[in-house]
Structure formats: structure tokens, C-alpha cells
Amino acid sequence: MKATQFFISTLKEAPADAEVVSHKLMMRAGMIKRLGAGIYNYMPMGLRVIRKVEAIIREEMNRAGAIELLMPVVQPAELWQETGRFDKMGPELMRVKDRHERDFIIQPTSEEVVTDIARQELRSYKQLPKNFYHIQTKFRDERRPRFGVMRGREFTMKDAYSFDRDEAGAAKSYDAMFAAYKRIFDRFGLEYRAVAADTGAIGGDLSHEFQVIAETGEDAIVYCPTSEYAANIELAEAVSLLAERAAPSEALTQTPTPGKSTCADVAELLGRPLAQTVKSLVLATDELNEAGDVVKSTVWLLLVRGDHDLNEVKAGKVEGLKGGFRFATVAEIEEHFGCKPGYLGPIGLKKPVKIVADRTVANMADFICGANEVDFHLTGVNWGRDLPEPDVVADIRNVVEGNPSPDGQGVLAIQRGIEVGHVFFLGTKYSKAMNATFLDEKGKPALMQMGCYGIGVTRILGAAIEQNHDARGIIWPASIAPFQAVVCPIGMDRSEAVKEAAHKLYEELQAAGVDVLLDDRGERPGAMFADWELIGVPVRVVVSDRGLKEGQLEVQGRRDAEASKVAVADVGAFVKARLSV
Amino acid sequence: MKATQFFISTLKEAPADAEVVSHKLMMRAGMIKRLGAGIYNYMPMGLRVIRKVEAIIREEMNRAGAIELLMPVVQPAELWQETGRFDKMGPELMRVKDRHERDFIIQPTSEEVVTDIARQELRSYKQLPKNFYHIQTKFRDERRPRFGVMRGREFTMKDAYSFDRDEAGAAKSYDAMFAAYKRIFDRFGLEYRAVAADTGAIGGDLSHEFQVIAETGEDAIVYCPTSEYAANIELAEAVSLLAERAAPSEALTQTPTPGKSTCADVAELLGRPLAQTVKSLVLATDELNEAGDVVKSTVWLLLVRGDHDLNEVKAGKVEGLKGGFRFATVAEIEEHFGCKPGYLGPIGLKKPVKIVADRTVANMADFICGANEVDFHLTGVNWGRDLPEPDVVADIRNVVEGNPSPDGQGVLAIQRGIEVGHVFFLGTKYSKAMNATFLDEKGKPALMQMGCYGIGVTRILGAAIEQNHDARGIIWPASIAPFQAVVCPIGMDRSEAVKEAAHKLYEELQAAGVDVLLDDRGERPGAMFADWELIGVPVRVVVSDRGLKEGQLEVQGRRDAEASKVAVADVGAFVKARLSV
């Protein structure tokens, strides 16, 4: 490609509304152009990256046996009513009426449509397993679209859906997708982690997020540097930090702690370690009658160590809390604890509450907690002696850095990531709702076991840039760069030698399969170099009269501190080697 | 590709709602699957054709210097309000509100968005010409979606938009696109015509439709078999069939024609040629005041020969009718002609009307027309003698087969076509509405001259099939077939020799760049052959034990009456030659 036949449009300054670095750089590099909130034009430079990302995904999906089709953007509401999502989903589901006032939605994903295809097309166990995918425009009417393509409203997603005869088959389909995703992200050339994620109501352990590592990521990823363990913070298991409970050594004592309502303040006041305090969190669950009225509420006291945080996803897995919970009201707290929040604890309750202790708390001795009296705490609290054993002991806290890895292979570290892919076992959630059955070997109808597998195509661009950039601009991995190399002739209009050498090198690289651009715009060197550093092309070759005279051209990798001087005749081979073409 | 790794789903019968042959065959061949009215899933077999169509379009667009980008499906209404299309377009424009009740549309085309890009990005004459295109999902909420992908609601379109400094530049851009379209349709391997089309209010002659020839086409294409002349019926020029007006030879006579209100009936009753009769059509135009009320109406009498039909597009180009017209009411007719419709004519009017004669009518002598008296016609009518010369003489009729070609190079023929592409000079229609200016060489702002160029990607499939099919199914041109060749082994599960030979041939063809499928499903020969004839793969090779023993395999082109026997070793080369790979 020659620059004069392409469209290059860079900006010195990013628009004011660009908040994160990837958004700023994509705007400045002319990759995207804002059309509306969360809606972008993909300009020629950006579209080239998208097409490369799509091509890698497509190759690996096909290699893994998935079959590409194309499901519509505008989908009839009927199918979404079958699964209940038409009503259950909030306004992020874009609803639209046609000229006959019939309801449609603009697809955020395609579970309903693909399940509708499967229930019509896959009639026998002989046709299973099958995995259908498409790469298609999606829309989610985000309340607050932001971060450019990272949380846009219209975006491109690859979504695949597997159909199996049984759970064992579904696990195999899942594994095949997991392996394909690893190949895809390896080929992107991005640093990433596949982390175990919560499976919600489905259960099991077949849910992984593919997270691109970036300091600016919204998600916390827990991993063990000395083992394979990796999970997102919602799921990562927190083991007890105390192997067993020590014997009581202190007497139970009520201590004044005036105005000190946080564990940290109490520990400081008393000169005791924060790790000896216990934090009280009060939840409530409601029982409803058929009319939907609350007929009974139960109050729960959740205890985590003073230096730990409650993990609500984990709390939601405790028997009795699975159906959903809320934080208790001040009235409920006062009714059960006889005290306002800030000084609560498990001893001296006015009314019974269900007590759930985190694993670590359950093994603590001589701990400190609220006295259920304003401005007072208890020290030397011991399970069994001062209060009954907890009703439930469970993992209900977030892990923190340095916690033991649940696989026993080391200690945990935490880093930030951007979720760009998700593989998920769906079970029969959709096949049941839509009655997607097949005839098994005995001729009996059985529900298909499903999995779904997404990659945010346009989001990959943002994540890649968040991970790979510097003060000068984007640093694309070679596999998804808009161009792999750029030939920058200096003074091409004045020097026939430069013109000839630049074209020769351009043609040589093209012939070798390098996706190369010849910058024939006639820009001054400074502006030209700044453009390509901003756009982030991996390798730049400068063709100048001086270089030609010296017999050496300057080749500079985007991450190189300095250019390499390479003999003119060797430049092609050198560039190819740098790009591993 | 192996069949067992792909998804093949054929039907013996087409669904009842499939009206046209392409729709039936696409459903039966498992290329599309209906999701809703005018909304289809593109199944794996159909998607392969789409991807090939897109690839050819993309290559030729790029070759012609057009630059690909991607504009959103969901577009803010503001831009469409700038051009007035948000209000002017009917319900076929799908309107949608987001969670904040802001208006959006689902794009039917992208003139507004691309003009918005151009007015921001193209600031200097040095940046022109530019041609941006995208291949993207479109939606038109058709009142009556039908014919499968031929008139669907959601479809894929390639739309390109050129921006030039002046009309001469725009004409060059237009010519480049016209040439690219010819290459594209040549490569599709379809019989087509580029026909001149009406330019509407823009004027000039820069509008061509690319019509795929098919008996079932909705459009009438006029062409001259002995010259290059081709136009659609709206535009095709009808010359006078009479070189000059003969002198009057009959007396003006009022003749009773009881109950005969059509020219054909009158001609028959009187024993005169239909070509001696003149048909009267009464139109009206309204003058409005600023409040939009009609302040004055004018009645027009349009005269075409009895065997000709009025062309409303041409009528709309007559001075005075350009602003829009309607058919006159019966009251208006009776007021001006003193007679009810069926016996109207230009002689004996009660009130003045504007008379527009078709070119042929203007040269007629001794003609027959209504007498403005029920059950009476006039014969021997002559211009100048019996009534004044017409106010306007113009081409206002459709051409008919056998009419002289307007280029004087022969006579016209008419065939049916399916419009699949359109190249169109827009002038400053959009740039003016949206103030898309650039700075010219003198530093003065000037409006960009635009052109737009569309190809209905998904419609190509339907048109190709309407043109190429037989009783057994689809006959794809090799360039856009889902597979170019299929290897059909017979009894692969029983015969190692068949299995080995089939795989060897499959691999050989693959290595030679043939897009080949190995049908390893283990279907019986009859069902297998029927599938591939229905799906329309251009070349089929049968690998059987008998063939291998004889040393000859059967190779059959989809259009061949009989298979060719080809020596086993030569089959690969034979297939390649058949496909010109």
C-alpha cells in the first residue's frame, strides 16, 4: 500500500472527551472517529487492525472445528420472550418496533437465535457436537459509554455456541474452545491470562475469562506466579490464613473505643494488630409469598477479618443467601443488635441472626469485635467459650496479595486486566427455555448441552493499546498492526536514488509477504516519523541519500531505543527476520 | 473442507412462503434460514458465497483506489435531520430511540455519515479526490418483504462515496467506479447489462444500473442488440415513429363508439389500426401558498399513441410538471372536458388545459381520439387544421420492442433484469445540505461534488440463482460458488482404495488452489449427487471402486448433460482446467 492511495489522518491532540490512553491514541492515530456516544466510525487505519484480528480468530475457530454463519443484527422479540430475556434485560437491550409495531431487538449476543437454529437443524445425536459462530455487529445501550472502543455501544464481537449430547461432550467442546482461544491470544502477541471465572447459577468450573494484562484494566486478576492457578477476584479461593484455632489465652473484656467504628481505628487505639480484629457485615434475606409480598425476613451477620473485604459473589453462594440478599436496614440492625452500625458483633444479640464466618475468622482466637454497644468493643473473644460456633463457615472474602494459592503451590499475586474473551458452559439454560432437544441413541428427546464463547473484536484494539504504548504512541504487535513495516523515503521528490531504492525495497518486502506501506506523501522526516510512531507500525526503514551513500539504511523497531544500520542489500532480509515473516 | 466438518442441510421441499425460484433454492440448499419477515440467517453454505462476493468487490474497489472503512449500523438521527431524510423518508427508514429517548436510525445507506466524515477530514483540494466505501449490514423496513434475499429487510450492501473538487473530477471518479463495476460483474461470471438510468433532479447522464439478466427480473431493460445502447425503461428514449407529419387526407368526423372507451376497442369497432388512435391522460398540478394550501390547479392533457404507454418519469421532466403532478379528479375532468373519462380528447374543451403530445403523436395525421362526448370519438383529426399545435411536444412514453434505437444504430429489444448495482452522480445534494466544503486552490471554500456507488451483496446471490438454475437446483458460476468442486467417494467406508484415492484427489485439488469439498458423510450416491446438484457446485468428481478399476473417474460439470471419463492421474489437471484455476 502506498500512503497516497490510503487515508492517513493523525491529530496532535486527543479530543477532550477521550479518557483513557487507548481511546486517546486511537483518535489521534486516526483509527476511529466518534459518531455519537459509544458509536464510532472505524477509519481505514483502524479497520485494517480489525480485519487482522478477525482473520486470526476465524482461522483458529475453523481449525477448532467451529463453523461460521451469520445471524442478523435485528432479531424478532419473540425468541427473546421465550427465554425471558426480552423482559428481564434492562435498557442495555436496544428494543425497536417495525412499521407494523412488532417488537425487535438489536442483538447484544445471539443465544436465542442460534438455539432456534439448533432446535430446527440438529435433530439427532449423530449431528452433535456442533459449534456455530459468527463475527457480527452487536449493540448494547450502555448507560455510560466510555473509554472509546473499550465500552462502546456498537461493537463487533465473535460469538460461538456449542451444542453437545451431554455434559462430558460439552466439556470437550469447552476445552477445544479454550485451546483455540489460547492460540488466538498467542497469535495476537498480547500478554494475557486465562482466569477461572464464576459460573453463577450454572455451577461447575467451566468458565474462563481471557484477560489482557494492563495496569489500566478494570478487573483484578488473581494468579500464582509459581503455578498455573489464575482466577478473577470474584472467584479466586481464599483459604484460611490460620491452619487451626489456637486455645483462648485472654479473658473476654469490654473496652471503650469512643468514636472508633472501623477495625483500623480500633486496632490503632488498642495497639493491637489489625489482623486480630473482626469486621461485622449485616445482610438480610426476604421470603416472599405468591403475590410477591415479603412475609418473613432473616438477618445475617457476616464476619471477615478486619484487614479483609467481603466478596459478594462468594457470599451469594452460601446456603440461604443463594436466592439473593440485600444489606440490612438500620432499623433491622437496631432491632437485632440493639446497637447502631459501627460497633456490631456476634455477642449479646437482641434477636437471633444467622452467623457466617469467613474461614480465617472461624480459626481466630482472642479476637476483637464490636460489643453491640455504641463506643465499645470486645477483646479476647473466643468461639465456643464466649459465643457458639458460627452457623456457617465459608470463603466469603476477597483474596489479597500474598495469600496462599489454593493449589498449595505458592502465594498469590494480583494484577489488572481487561476482559476481552470469555468461554462459558451454559448447560441447558437456553435449550430448556427454548425446548432445543435432539433424539438420543435410544430415540428419546434430550436437551442439548450448550456453551458460549465470545471475543470482543473491537475491544481487542483498545486492550492491545492499553498494554502496548509509550509517550510517542501505539506499539502494535506485528500480527495485528495496520501495517507491519513502513518505508520512509526522505526527499523522494528531489532524489531519484531515494525514490528508486524506496520503491525497490517496498516491492521486495511486499513480495516477501510483509504488509508494508510506502510513505510517498512527501512529508518532512519529523512529521513522518511522528505519524508512524503514533500509529505504532512495528518496523520503520528510512531511505535517505546519506544512507544510500553510506551503503547503510536505518531500520528501527518501534520499541528500539536506537535505529540499527543495515547494509542496503540486507535490509529486506533484516526486516523479515525482525517480523519473523 | 470435509463435509463432516461443515454444515450441510438440504430440504426436499421449499417452504410454502418461498415465492421465487432463487428463494426456494436458497432455502432448499440450506443457504439461508428465515428468522422473521425479510430477515434471514446466512447458514454456512450461504455465507461462503457472500464471502466470495465480498472478496471480489473488495479487490476491485481497492484496485480502483477506493478506501475501505466501516461506518456504524446504528446512526444518530441528527445527521439525517440535517439532510431532511429523517423526516422525508417513509417507514422504510427504521427509527429507534435509545435509553435516553434520543433518536437513532438503522442505516439503509450512509450518505449522511460519510459526508460528515468528509466535511471533517477533507479540508483541502489537495486531499481530493477520495472514495470511501464499506461493506456493512443495512436495514430497510420494506412494507412487503419478499423473494428471500431479493427484497429482504436486513441485507449486506457495499456502498462507496466519492468526493471531488468539481464536476469533471466527479465524472472521472464515476468512470473509475463504472469500470470497477464491470470488472466485478465480469468476475462474478453473471450475464449483466450496465444500463443508463434516470438521474432525477440532479440531471446529467451519470447514472447507471447494473442489471443481472433474468426472465424473472422486476425491471425492464431496453437495449440495442447492434449497438452499445442500454437504458432502463424509465430512461430509454422513445424517438418519433413518424419522421414527419403527413398532410390531412380525411375530414374531421364525429363517430358513435357506444361503450368503447379504450383505444383498442375503438380501433376494432372502426376497423382502423390501433396506431391511428391517440390515448388521452389527464394530470393536474397544484400551486400552493406559503401555508401549504392549494391556491391554483392546472389541468394537463397528455397524449400518447393508442398502442403506447405513458412513462411517468419522463412526464415528470416536462416543464411545468417537474415539481410533481397527480392524476386529475373526475370533477376536474368533467369541468374541463365536459365529459367523463373514456371519451376525452383535445378538441371541444370547456376550459383551457395544457396539451402535451408525445413526439409520435405530434407527427400523426388523420388520427382518432375521444370527442369529449360520451359514446363518441373523432376520426380524421389533424393538428393545425382541427386544433392548435400542442403546447408541448416531448418524449413521454415507454419504448416498445422494435422501436428505433435513439443512437440510430438499430432497433430496440427489451429484456428483464434484476438491479444489483447502481452508480450515481450526486452532485452537491448532500454536501450542500451538510455544508461539506473544502478549500480550493485559491483558499476559498467550495462544495464537494459527490457520487455514490452501491452493490447489493446479498442480493447478488438471489440474482445469480434467478439467472442460473435448472430443475435440479442452483448452477453457481465458479467464482462465487460455495465450493468450486466436490469429490464424491462411493462406499468410502467399505473400500480403502476409494478412501485413499478420494483423499489424494482432495489434497491435490486443495494444493492447486481449488476450493474443494470432500463429501465424507457416507451418504448414498443418489442423495449425495442430488445434494450437490441442488447446492450447485460447478464440478463433481465421483471416486468409485469401478472407476478406479477402470482407471477412469467420472467428472461432471454442473451444466454438462453427461459425465466425462477422465484417467485417474489426469483428474486433478482436468478439474483445474475446467475451473480455469
Side-chain angles (χ1 to χ4, degrees):
Chain A
M1 180 70 74
K2 291 180 186 173
T4 51
Q5 290 165 5
F6 193 59
F7 186 73
I8 298 164
S9 174
T10 56
L11 296 173
K12 286 250 184 313
E13 300 291 335
D17 67 333
E19 295 162 285
V20 295
V21 68
S22 60
H23 188 189
K24 287 178 189 170
L25 290 176
M26 287 183 79
M27 300 287 278
R28 287 189 53 210
M31 302 225 166
I32 54 174
K33 194 165 182 67
R34 186 178 184 280
L35 182 60
I39 302 179
Y40 293 87
N41 293 299
Y42 286 88
M43 298 299 285
M45 192 68 78
L47 184 60
R48 288 184 74 89
V49 181
I50 291 180
R51 294 286 183 243
K52 291 189 180 187
V53 167
E54 288 178 349
I56 289 172
I57 293 173
R58 187 170 278 128
E59 276 180 36
E60 295 300 339
M61 290 302 292
N62 293 348
R63 189 194 308 257
I67 303 168
E68 188 174 6
L69 44 63
L70 190 66
M71 294 176 276
V73 172
V74 178
Q75 305 182 344
E78 285 84 350
L79 294 177
W80 288 72
Q81 282 155 348
E82 275 193 62
T83 62
R85 291 214 291 177
F86 188 76
D87 298 316
K88 255 182 282 175
M89 278 186 78
E92 70 274 13
L93 180 66
M94 190 83 154
R95 294 159 175 91
V96 50
K97 281 180 191 296
D98 76 357
R99 66 193 300 152
H100 305 295
E101 292 293 309
R102 280 187 298 242
D103 288 312
F104 289 79
I105 60 96
I106 307 183
Q107 66 154 335
T109 56
S110 277
E111 281 85 357
E112 281 79 0
V113 170
V114 80
T115 306
D116 181 53
I117 291 173
R119 70 180 167 183
Q120 294 178 61
E121 293 286 341
L122 306 177
R123 291 168 299 262
S124 156
Y125 69 94
K126 291 178 196 162
Q127 292 174 283
L128 301 178
K130 278 283 177 300
N131 185 331
F132 293 120
Y133 77 99
H134 70 163
I135 300 177
Q136 175 67 306
T137 303
K138 304 288 188 297
F139 201 94
R140 279 188 199 159
D141 196 2
E142 296 276 352
R143 183 160 45 168
R144 201 183 145 223
R146 58 192 186 280
F147 308 152
V149 298
M150 301 272 276
R151 196 169 291 281
R153 295 203 283 179
E154 183 167 323
F155 55 98
T156 303
M157 190 166 96
K158 184 283 298 176
D159 39 330
Y161 305 90
S162 64
F163 297 88
D164 275 276
R165 297 159 63 171
D166 49 33
E167 284 196 32
K172 273 179 77 174
S173 293
Y174 183 93
D175 290 344
M177 280 296 104
F178 187 88
Y181 272 44
K182 285 181 85 164
R183 290 195 301 270
I184 288 167
F185 286 92
D186 285 343
R187 287 182 63 183
F188 287 159
L190 299 175
E191 192 193 343
Y192 71 95
R193 277 183 198 283
V195 306
D198 187 42
T199 52
I202 307 281
D205 56 0
L206 297 182
S207 172
H208 283 86
E209 292 166 359
F210 281 72
Q211 295 265 2
V212 167
I213 306 306
E215 279 169 33
T216 52
E218 285 189 292
D219 296 341
I221 303 170
V222 180
Y223 69 104
C224 176
T226 53
S227 79
E228 287 294 298
Y229 187 82
N232 67 15
I233 194 86
E234 282 78 31
L235 185 72
E237 185 182 353
V239 299
S240 174
L241 299 181
L242 301 165
E244 54 183 26
R245 193 188 294 165
S249 69
E250 294 179 30
L252 179 68
T253 309
Q254 179 157 331
T255 308
T257 50
K260 307 297 182 188
S261 62
T262 69
C263 287
D265 287 348
V266 171
E268 195 193 351
L269 175 74
L270 305 180
R272 306 284 283 266
L274 183 57
Q276 212 168 336
T277 64
V278 166
K279 198 186 289 181
S280 294
L281 299 124
V282 189
L283 305 181
T285 53
D286 298 318
E287 255 176 66
L288 306 181
N289 65 13
E290 281 179 7
D293 305 317
V294 176
V295 290
K296 189 188 159 196
S297 293
T298 307
V299 170
W300 299 68
L301 174 62
L302 275 67
L303 301 173
V304 297
R305 207 169 72 175
D307 55 341
H308 289 158
D309 287 321
L310 180 71
N311 180 314
E312 292 184 34
V313 172
K314 291 178 177 179
K317 293 177 185 171
V318 169
E319 203 61 54
L321 295 176
K322 280 181 184 168
F325 57 80
R326 57 181 172 82
F327 283 92
T329 62
V330 171
E332 284 171 326
I333 289 172
E334 290 183 344
E335 183 189 349
H336 287 77
F337 294 84
C339 176
K340 66 175 191 173
Y343 303 90
L344 306 180
I347 294 177
L349 300 164
K350 298 286 175 226
K351 276 189 165 184
V353 304
K354 287 268 209 178
I355 295 183
V356 183
D358 181 60
R359 288 166 169 178
T360 298
V361 171
N363 280 1
M364 285 168 77
D366 299 330
F367 61 82
I368 301 165
C369 63
N372 289 329
E373 192 175 334
V374 171
D375 291 344
F376 284 93
H377 277 75
L378 299 172
T379 62
V381 184
N382 283 280
W383 295 107
R385 187 192 73 181
D386 307 323
L387 76 169
E389 292 293 332
D391 298 306
V392 181
V393 176
D395 171 16
I396 56 169
R397 69 170 175 97
N398 286 334
V399 298
V400 291
E401 225 158 359
N403 280 177
S405 176
D407 65 2
Q409 307 286 304
V411 295
L412 295 175
I414 295 181
Q415 58 189 174
R416 310 298 300 179
I418 300 165
E419 187 193 337
V420 286
H422 199 165
V423 291
F424 195 89
F425 171 60
L426 289 170
T428 57
K429 182 178 170 188
Y430 289 91
S431 53
K432 197 169 179 181
M434 296 181 67
N435 197 29
T437 61
F438 64 99
L439 294 180
D440 67 14
E441 283 163 290
K442 291 171 191 147
K444 280 173 68 175
L447 290 174
M448 296 185 223
Q449 294 285 342
M450 290 175 59
C452 68
Y453 316 94
I455 294 180
V457 172
T458 37
R459 197 170 217 222
I460 293 286
L461 276 64
I465 296 171
E466 290 292 333
Q467 183 179 90
N468 302 283
H469 66 271
D470 62 16
R472 290 170 294 157
I474 303 167
I475 307 175
W476 289 110
S479 62
I480 58 174
F483 298 96
Q484 294 176 303
V486 57
V487 175
C488 295
I490 296 181
M492 198 167 78
D493 50 339
R494 298 186 305 271
S495 164
E496 265 307 308
V498 165
K499 188 173 175 181
E500 195 183 310
H503 277 85
K504 198 176 151 215
L505 179 60
Y506 167 64
E507 281 153 24
E508 179 189 345
L509 290 172
Q510 264 196 329
V514 175
D515 186 11
V516 59
L517 181 131
L518 173 66
D519 193 344
D520 58 349
R521 293 176 297 166
E523 293 279 340
R524 281 167 301 109
M528 180 161 54
F529 297 169
D531 271 356
W532 296 112
E533 284 170 350
L534 172 59
I535 293 164
V537 169
V539 176
R540 179 181 79 202
V541 185
V542 178
V543 181
S544 64
D545 267 323
R546 203 178 60 185
L548 291 172
K549 251 172 243 167
E550 287 173 5
Q552 290 188 319
L553 299 182
E554 286 190 357
V555 183
Q556 186 155 12
R558 179 63 181 79
R559 286 189 194 275
D560 297 353
E562 283 186 26
S564 308
K565 296 213 170 191
V566 180
V568 175
D570 301 338
V571 169
F574 186 88
V575 170
K576 283 184 269 172
R578 277 300 290 263
L579 295 167
S580 328
V581 172
Chain B
M1 180 71 74
K2 291 180 185 174
T4 51
Q5 289 164 6
F6 193 59
F7 186 74
I8 297 164
S9 175
T10 56
L11 295 172
K12 287 250 185 311
E13 301 290 336
D17 67 334
E19 296 161 283
V20 294
V21 68
S22 59
H23 188 191
K24 287 178 188 168
L25 290 176
M26 287 184 80
M27 298 288 279
R28 286 189 54 211
M31 303 227 166
I32 54 173
K33 194 165 181 67
R34 186 179 183 279
L35 182 60
I39 302 179
Y40 292 88
N41 293 299
Y42 286 88
M43 298 299 284
M45 193 69 80
L47 183 61
R48 288 183 74 87
V49 181
I50 291 180
R51 293 286 184 242
K52 290 188 181 187
V53 167
E54 289 178 349
I56 289 172
I57 293 173
R58 187 171 279 127
E59 275 180 35
E60 296 299 340
M61 290 301 292
N62 293 348
R63 190 193 308 257
I67 303 169
E68 189 174 5
L69 44 63
L70 190 66
M71 293 176 277
V73 172
V74 177
Q75 304 182 345
E78 283 84 351
L79 293 177
W80 288 72
Q81 282 155 347
E82 275 191 63
T83 61
R85 290 214 293 176
F86 188 77
D87 298 316
K88 256 183 278 175
M89 278 185 79
E92 70 274 13
L93 180 65
M94 191 82 154
R95 292 158 175 93
V96 51
K97 281 180 191 295
D98 76 357
R99 65 194 298 153
H100 304 296
E101 292 293 311
R102 281 187 296 242
D103 288 312
F104 289 79
I105 60 95
I106 307 183
Q107 65 153 338
T109 56
S110 277
E111 281 85 355
E112 280 79 359
V113 171
V114 80
T115 306
D116 181 52
I117 291 173
R119 69 179 167 184
Q120 293 178 61
E121 292 287 341
L122 307 177
R123 291 167 301 261
S124 157
Y125 70 94
K126 291 179 197 161
Q127 291 174 286
L128 301 177
K130 278 283 177 300
N131 185 331
F132 292 120
Y133 77 99
H134 70 162
I135 300 178
Q136 175 67 306
T137 303
K138 303 288 189 296
F139 201 94
R140 280 189 198 159
D141 196 3
E142 296 276 352
R143 183 158 48 167
R144 201 182 145 223
R146 59 193 187 279
F147 308 152
V149 299
M150 301 270 277
R151 197 171 289 281
R153 296 202 283 179
E154 183 168 323
F155 55 98
T156 303
M157 191 167 97
K158 185 283 297 175
D159 39 330
Y161 305 90
S162 63
F163 298 88
D164 275 276
R165 296 159 62 172
D166 48 32
E167 284 196 32
K172 273 180 76 174
S173 293
Y174 183 93
D175 290 343
M177 280 296 103
F178 188 89
Y181 272 44
K182 285 182 86 166
R183 290 195 300 269
I184 288 168
F185 285 91
D186 285 342
R187 287 183 62 183
F188 287 159
L190 299 175
E191 192 192 343
Y192 71 95
R193 277 185 199 282
V195 305
D198 187 41
T199 51
I202 307 281
D205 56 1
L206 296 182
S207 172
H208 284 86
E209 292 167 358
F210 281 73
Q211 295 265 3
V212 167
I213 305 306
E215 280 169 30
T216 52
E218 287 188 292
D219 295 340
I221 302 170
V222 180
Y223 69 105
C224 176
T226 53
S227 79
E228 287 295 297
Y229 187 82
N232 68 15
I233 193 86
E234 283 78 29
L235 185 72
E237 185 182 352
V239 298
S240 174
L241 299 181
L242 301 166
E244 55 184 26
R245 193 189 294 166
S249 68
E250 293 179 30
L252 179 68
T253 309
Q254 179 157 330
T255 310
T257 50
K260 308 297 183 189
S261 61
T262 70
C263 287
D265 287 349
V266 170
E268 195 191 351
L269 175 76
L270 304 180
R272 305 286 281 266
L274 183 56
Q276 212 168 339
T277 64
V278 166
K279 196 185 289 180
S280 294
L281 299 125
V282 189
L283 305 180
T285 53
D286 298 319
E287 255 175 66
L288 306 181
N289 65 11
E290 280 178 9
D293 305 316
V294 177
V295 291
K296 188 188 162 195
S297 294
T298 307
V299 170
W300 298 69
L301 174 62
L302 275 68
L303 301 173
V304 297
R305 206 170 74 175
D307 57 341
H308 289 160
D309 287 321
L310 179 71
N311 180 314
E312 292 185 34
V313 172
K314 291 178 178 179
K317 292 177 186 170
V318 169
E319 201 61 53
L321 295 175
K322 280 180 184 168
F325 58 81
R326 57 182 172 82
F327 283 93
T329 63
V330 171
E332 285 171 328
I333 290 172
E334 290 184 342
E335 184 190 347
H336 287 77
F337 294 85
C339 174
K340 65 174 188 171
Y343 304 90
L344 305 180
I347 293 178
L349 299 164
K350 298 286 175 227
K351 274 191 165 182
V353 305
K354 286 268 208 179
I355 295 182
V356 182
D358 180 60
R359 289 167 168 177
T360 298
V361 171
N363 280 1
M364 285 169 76
D366 299 329
F367 61 84
I368 300 165
C369 62
N372 289 328
E373 193 174 334
V374 171
D375 291 344
F376 284 92
H377 278 75
L378 298 173
T379 62
V381 183
N382 283 280
W383 295 108
R385 187 190 73 181
D386 308 322
L387 75 170
E389 293 292 332
D391 297 307
V392 181
V393 176
D395 170 16
I396 56 169
R397 69 169 176 98
N398 286 335
V399 299
V400 290
E401 226 158 358
N403 280 178
S405 177
D407 64 2
Q409 307 285 305
V411 294
L412 295 175
I414 294 182
Q415 59 189 173
R416 311 296 300 177
I418 300 165
E419 186 192 339
V420 285
H422 199 164
V423 290
F424 196 89
F425 171 60
L426 289 169
T428 57
K429 182 177 171 189
Y430 290 90
S431 53
K432 198 169 178 181
M434 297 181 67
N435 197 29
T437 61
F438 65 98
L439 295 181
D440 68 14
E441 282 164 293
K442 291 171 193 147
K444 281 173 70 177
L447 290 173
M448 295 185 222
Q449 294 285 343
M450 291 175 58
C452 69
Y453 316 93
I455 294 180
V457 172
T458 37
R459 197 169 215 222
I460 293 285
L461 277 65
I465 296 171
E466 290 292 332
Q467 184 179 90
N468 301 282
H469 65 271
D470 61 17
R472 290 169 295 158
I474 302 167
I475 307 175
W476 288 110
S479 61
I480 59 173
F483 298 95
Q484 294 176 303
V486 57
V487 175
C488 294
I490 295 181
M492 199 167 77
D493 50 339
R494 299 186 306 272
S495 164
E496 264 308 308
V498 165
K499 188 173 175 180
E500 197 184 308
H503 277 85
K504 198 177 151 215
L505 178 60
Y506 167 65
E507 281 153 25
E508 180 189 345
L509 290 172
Q510 263 195 330
V514 176
D515 186 11
V516 59
L517 181 131
L518 173 66
D519 193 345
D520 57 349
R521 294 177 296 167
E523 292 279 340
R524 281 168 302 107
M528 180 160 55
F529 296 168
D531 271 355
W532 295 113
E533 283 169 349
L534 173 58
I535 293 165
V537 169
V539 176
R540 179 180 78 201
V541 185
V542 178
V543 181
S544 64
D545 267 323
R546 203 178 61 185
L548 291 173
K549 250 173 245 165
E550 288 173 3
Q552 290 189 319
L553 299 182
E554 287 190 355
V555 183
Q556 185 155 12
R558 179 63 182 78
R559 287 190 194 273
D560 298 352
E562 283 185 27
S564 309
K565 296 213 171 193
V566 180
V568 175
D570 301 337
V571 169
F574 186 88
V575 172
K576 282 184 271 173
R578 277 300 290 262
L579 294 166
S580 327
V581 172

